[in-house]
Amino acid sequence: MSLRIGIDIGSTTVKVVVLDEQNKLLFRSYERHYSKARERACETLRSIQDMLKGQMVRMVITGSAGLGVAKAAGVDFVQEVYATAAAVRAYYPDTDAVIELGGEDAKIIFFGGALEERMNGSCAGGTGAFIDQMATLMNVTVNELDELSLKHEKIYPIASRCGVFAKSDIQPILNQGGRKEDVAASIFQAVVDQTVAGLTQGRELKGKIVFLGGPLHFLMGLRQRFVETLKLDEAHAIFPEDGDCFAGIGAALCSSDYPEQSFDDLLKRLEESVDATNTVDTMPPLFTDQADYDAFVTRHNANHPPEADIHTYAGDAFLGIDAGSTTTKVALIAPDGGLLYTYYHSNLGNPVAVVLEQLKEIYKLCGDRITIRGSAVTGYGEDLIKNAFGCDLGLVETVAHYNAARHFNPDVDFIIDIGGQDMKCFKIRNGAVDSIMLNEACSSGCGSFIETFAKALGYSIADFAKLGLLAKHPVNLGSRCTVFMNSSVKQAQKDGASVEDISAGLSISIVKNAVYKVIRAASADDLGKHIVVQGGTFHNDAVLRAFEQELGRNVTRPTIAGIMGAFGAALAARDLRLNASGLLSEEALQSFTHSAKPVTCGLCTNHCALTVNQFDGGRKFISGNRCSRPLGKEKVELPDLMNYKYKKLRSMEGKGEGTGVRGRMGIPFGLNMYENLPFWFTFFTKLNFEVVLSPESSRKLYIKGQHTIPSDTVCYPAKLLHGHVEALVEEGVDAIWYPCMSYNNDEGIG
């Protein structure tokens, strides 16, 4: 038998192996290809020419990026699941499941009977690229991340569905003094959770499990998290010596089914395919020329508040503050909505200090000419700022944004606000907010999406955005996960696309993600006819133009798109029509003091983590409480009705008035069974069953049933019930009662 060559071309690496007649490994290589897969494969084959020159060989290509290379070169191809399965059956025939993590894909293959595969789809969270992103965030190499993780003492819960959301979890931990060792291990735990929860889909991971792919081959900390989470011993957790190129070994094994060919001819065909021109999928330009862009800018610049000058204006004014989670925005307006003063800046984790400084500045500019008649605050820090400075009104963000949008377009029926990591969409009906949509597990339609690529290509976000405005051939990058898009960008660069074309293509991708992933619109009419756009991302003219082109209609972008929350709050303060504002005076600000300390409330078993904010004059504001008792507002001891209900339902267990001779009936203690338990307990005990309830809901109980969840899109309470059912199975009940109840009987009460 001739020598056999297997080439595994993945999303980020190329693996080449050579097997002899006895399946002995004669050569192996594992190299990153940096979007130049064909070149990398050819370089590796040229390096072993001395071994194979003039010989007849069998060669097969596999891998997620291998099909295109195989077709271009006329080389045989085998699907990677079959290649992996072939290698596993040859070397570990009693395997029950395979977990394989690659650069951008993750898969689980179940053996036993028919081969079953689970693979990640539109999200690359929990893959090698996700780990790369997190290492970059922590300013360490992947190997250093691995070494850190092996010294961990605790695990933090970190989102693994999206690299951007994970960043939001990690940053506060590091800012609050969390150990890098603990964060590193938590990142690996997030990968494990994503793999187990996202890919098992109703199948249990048990028996002998083989772990494959680069991340699981090189990262000892990741291995440790998998072994501990799945509770595997050495006999059931198999890490092959060549696990990083196992699919390549499988491809070589599969080549036995294909004809022999000349090695020299195969190498020549691969080399010729490198020079084959790849056509870049392009789209029409955002603007045809400079005049087209100038007309666009003129149209949108018309949406601005009336002109006002705080240095010359005299009269009444109204203050609006938007205390966001990361930024603070301030707007001081005249009665006609004219902007007298604006502020937009990071709050650096201390919004009170920022607002104090801004109020002092505003009072200094107002002098005796301007009187602040009303003030309102919205946003994440609404209650804190309202209590600290005596603002007259606190209002929810949606109302503040609607106030501002309505000021610029009285007929507004849809508002979309795109920030750095979040996206909010409001439908307006009959002058009120009718429905709200938010991005959940993916942030690829947000500002940080384009910021990531700007930094990677060495530009500031503002300069990068401008590059795409007049690009002639924007690259069609589709609407995909940030991690996947990274490969698309690299491929586009390889195929000759300019930075300008990529910038324009990314702006279009943000819009596609927003419209089709978050809003899930079938057409522009699903959004509305009078659309107002807000948020810092829409200051990017390329994104705004792409949004209009995708919808096929013009939209309204106020020139103050970034401070619309503060502007809307100021309008609400104006509409209060107060004679005098309760806002702290300029004199009171001079003696203003603020301190905050964390305390744990001991007034009940909730043990809420409170923050006690103390201000000058003995003023106090307590946040974090889930009831009014820490505020000292409880005059009488009220009964804990939730606790009463829980204990009452929990007591409905056992034989009741029956004998229990017909067996033990398990009932999951959650969802509709929780509410309907009095009926079912009476029903089954009257029939002489003994009722057994599942334990109280907990994180531990959720993990118990995690492997049985068939869909990642169901709600958390529904996922949690899988743990309740598993607990009843372990309890050894005779049957579990959980009927499908699409509706309850209407008893005509009320």
Side-chain angles (χ1 to χ4, degrees):
M1 186 189 288
S2 56
L3 297 181
R4 291 161 293 165
I5 304 170
I7 303 177
D8 176 12
I9 303 178
S11 51
T12 59
T13 55
V14 172
K15 286 76 70 176
V16 178
V17 302
V18 180
L19 296 181
D20 68 6
E21 294 85 346
Q22 285 77 43
N23 293 342
K24 181 184 175 185
L25 195 61
L26 300 179
F27 173 83
R28 51 149 289 158
S29 75
Y30 178 100
E31 302 277 354
R32 282 187 178 258
H33 58 60
Y34 301 104
S35 292
K36 296 192 174 183
R38 299 180 197 184
E39 291 92 328
R40 180 68 261 171
C42 288
E43 284 175 29
T44 303
L45 289 176
R46 280 195 292 269
S47 73
I48 53 173
Q49 263 184 305
D50 291 344
M51 182 199 303
L52 299 169
K53 196 170 184 180
Q55 290 196 41
M56 296 297 288
V57 298
R58 303 177 195 270
M59 185 161 79
V60 164
I61 293 176
T62 190
S64 56
L67 183 58
V69 178
K71 280 186 174 179
V75 177
D76 294 312
F77 176 83
V78 64
Q79 210 278 337
E80 59 191 298
V81 173
Y82 295 110
T84 302
V88 170
R89 283 174 175 145
Y91 295 96
Y92 303 98
D94 56 345
T95 295
D96 293 292
V98 166
I99 295 177
E100 183 177 3
L101 299 185
E104 292 178 4
D105 34 62
K107 64 176 81 70
I108 296 178
I109 306 171
F110 293 100
F111 291 80
L115 203 66
E116 266 194 79
E117 183 218 14
R118 309 277 193 269
M119 190 168 179
N120 64 324
S122 60
C123 178
T127 64
F130 171 82
I131 296 170
D132 286 347
Q133 278 189 345
M134 295 304 101
T136 302
L137 172 66
M138 291 181 63
N139 199 27
V140 296
T141 66
V142 173
N143 287 337
E144 287 169 341
L145 186 79
D146 187 35
E147 289 167 14
L148 286 168
S149 74
L150 295 171
K151 302 169 189 169
H152 78 278
E153 294 173 4
K154 66 180 292 187
I155 301 289
Y156 295 101
I158 289 175
S160 62
R161 285 296 306 275
C162 180
V164 176
F165 288 152
K167 177 181 174 183
S168 298
D169 286 343
I170 291 169
Q171 207 70 61
I173 296 171
L174 294 175
N175 291 345
Q176 291 161 20
R179 297 171 68 242
K180 277 194 169 186
E181 291 85 348
D182 295 336
V183 173
S186 302
I187 289 167
F188 288 148
Q189 185 64 47
V191 172
V192 175
D193 292 342
Q194 172 70 0
T195 304
V196 175
L199 299 182
T200 49
Q201 296 174 354
R203 288 282 301 259
E204 188 172 7
L205 277 169
K206 60 183 181 180
K208 181 180 280 191
I209 300 175
V210 174
F211 293 88
L212 303 175
L216 283 164
H217 181 76
F218 296 109
L219 304 176
M220 298 301 113
L222 183 61
R223 289 187 180 192
Q224 185 186 79
R225 301 304 336 125
F226 266 105
V227 169
E228 288 185 17
T229 302
L230 297 175
K231 297 180 175 61
L232 300 173
D233 57 25
E234 284 188 17
H236 293 89
I238 309 300
F239 296 93
E241 186 180 345
D242 296 295
D244 54 334
C245 52
F246 222 62
I249 293 172
L253 291 170
C254 290
S255 71
S256 300
D257 299 329
Y258 295 91
E260 286 186 329
Q261 299 184 63
S262 159
F263 171 78
D264 299 330
D265 182 49
L266 287 166
L267 178 57
K268 183 183 176 187
R269 296 210 302 266
L270 269 172
E271 288 176 331
E272 287 172 352
S273 75
V274 171
D275 301 323
T277 56
N278 292 311
T279 56
V280 182
D281 185 7
T282 61
M283 297 173 289
L286 295 171
F287 298 99
T288 53
D289 52 35
Q290 186 66 41
D292 189 19
Y293 175 54
D294 292 342
F296 168 86
V297 171
T298 301
R299 170 163 58 85
H300 283 289
N301 284 349
N303 299 308
H304 62 79
E307 298 292 333
D309 186 350
I310 196 170
H311 300 286
T312 58
Y313 174 79
D316 295 340
F318 306 91
L319 179 69
I321 301 169
D322 183 357
S325 56
T326 58
T327 56
T328 298
K329 284 81 74 176
V330 177
L332 185 70
I333 67 170
D336 65 352
L339 271 180
L340 295 165
Y341 181 85
T342 64
Y343 175 83
Y344 182 124
H345 207 274
S346 168
N347 58 33
L348 303 175
N350 192 352
V352 172
V354 171
V355 173
L356 175 64
E357 181 186 329
Q358 289 306 304
L359 285 177
K360 287 180 177 178
E361 178 67 17
I362 288 169
Y363 276 128
K364 187 167 75 174
L365 291 169
C366 288
D368 298 329
R369 293 173 292 105
I370 300 173
T371 304
I372 298 175
R373 294 287 184 195
S375 59
V377 60
T378 189
Y380 181 81
E382 172 198 327
D383 288 331
L384 174 62
I385 300 301
K386 183 184 175 189
N387 282 274
F389 298 102
C391 296
D392 304 305
L393 176 70
L395 69 165
V396 295
E397 286 180 82
T398 48
V399 175
H401 283 285
Y402 174 45
N403 284 346
R406 185 173 53 187
H407 181 82
F408 291 100
N409 186 342
D411 298 321
V412 60
D413 56 9
F414 191 86
I415 300 167
I416 177 169
D417 185 316
I418 301 182
Q421 293 180 17
D422 59 355
M423 187 185 311
K424 298 182 284 286
C425 308
F426 320 136
K427 278 197 173 183
I428 310 298
R429 185 175 297 168
N430 299 325
V433 176
D434 181 67
S435 61
I436 302 171
M437 288 161 280
L438 306 169
N439 64 317
E440 294 169 359
C442 183
S443 66
S444 60
C446 300
S448 58
F449 175 79
I450 204 165
E451 183 181 11
T452 300
F453 291 101
K455 286 182 177 176
L457 295 169
Y459 292 88
S460 71
I461 188 166
D463 290 341
F464 185 68
K466 287 176 186 171
L467 287 173
L469 292 172
L470 298 173
K472 296 299 180 191
H473 306 288
V475 181
N476 185 2
L477 298 168
S479 54
R480 307 175 72 212
C481 164
T482 309
V483 177
F484 287 150
M485 194 72 77
N486 197 38
S487 290
S488 300
V489 169
K490 286 177 181 173
Q491 186 61 45
Q493 284 179 301
K494 176 177 172 290
D495 292 342
S498 66
V499 175
E500 290 81 2
D501 294 335
I502 290 170
S503 171
L506 286 168
S507 295
I508 294 168
S509 286
I510 278 192
V511 168
K512 288 182 183 292
N513 280 318
V515 174
Y516 302 118
K517 280 190 176 179
V518 177
I519 306 170
R520 294 176 184 169
S523 69
D525 291 333
D526 285 0
L527 274 68
K529 292 188 169 26
H530 305 283
I531 300 169
V532 175
V533 301
Q534 303 177 172
T537 301
F538 276 115
H539 275 307
N540 181 335
D541 285 337
V543 171
L544 178 61
R545 176 66 164 188
F547 189 68
E548 290 188 332
Q549 286 185 340
E550 191 66 37
L551 298 185
R553 64 183 52 165
N554 293 342
V555 302
T556 301
R557 179 196 63 183
T559 54
I560 58 168
I563 62 164
M564 291 286 272
F567 186 74
L571 292 171
R574 179 195 67 181
D575 295 341
L576 289 172
R577 303 190 184 283
L578 300 173
N579 289 322
S581 173
L583 189 70
L584 290 185
S585 65
E586 187 172 11
E587 293 74 27
L589 291 180
Q590 301 308 315
S591 58
F592 179 88
T593 59
H594 171 235
S595 63
K597 64 176 182 179
V599 299
T600 300
C601 179
L603 295 177
C604 77
T605 55
N606 278 337
H607 299 300
C608 294
L610 308 180
T611 302
V612 179
N613 295 273
Q614 301 225 253
F615 307 108
D616 55 283
R619 295 181 298 123
K620 186 184 292 185
F621 172 66
I622 300 174
S623 64
N625 44 292
R626 281 174 265 179
C627 71
S628 54
R629 290 182 71 187
L631 308 181
K633 294 181 180 178
E634 294 293 343
K635 302 298 182 188
V636 294
E637 190 67 36
L638 295 174
D640 185 342
L641 295 180
M642 287 299 296
N643 192 39
Y644 170 80
K645 178 180 177 179
Y646 183 85
K647 287 181 176 177
K648 187 79 173 172
L649 291 174
R650 179 55 80 180
S651 69
M652 294 179 185
E653 190 170 23
K655 300 174 184 177
E657 296 178 6
T659 62
V661 295
R662 300 183 73 174
R664 302 170 77 223
M665 180 63 69
I667 298 182
F669 198 49
L671 294 183
N672 60 353
M673 290 293 101
Y674 185 92
E675 299 295 338
N676 297 333
L677 186 60
F679 173 80
W680 293 120
F681 174 74
T682 306
F683 178 80
F684 283 113
T685 54
K686 289 281 187 184
L687 293 173
N688 289 323
F689 284 96
E690 178 186 351
V691 170
V692 179
L693 299 179
S694 56
E696 184 175 1
S697 294
S698 65
R699 172 71 182 168
K700 190 176 179 182
L701 197 64
Y702 168 77
I703 292 170
K704 185 186 288 290
Q706 192 177 46
H707 67 277
T708 67
I709 300 166
S711 170
D712 201 38
T713 57
V714 297
C715 65
Y716 185 79
K719 290 178 178 177
L720 179 59
L721 210 74
H722 286 250
H724 283 269
V725 173
E726 281 286 312
L728 288 170
V729 171
E730 290 180 3
E731 182 67 25
V733 295
D734 298 302
I736 295 174
W737 178 251
Y738 199 87
C740 174
M741 297 176 65
S742 51
Y743 63 90
N744 279 353
N745 182 40
D746 181 3
E747 298 176 348
I749 299 173

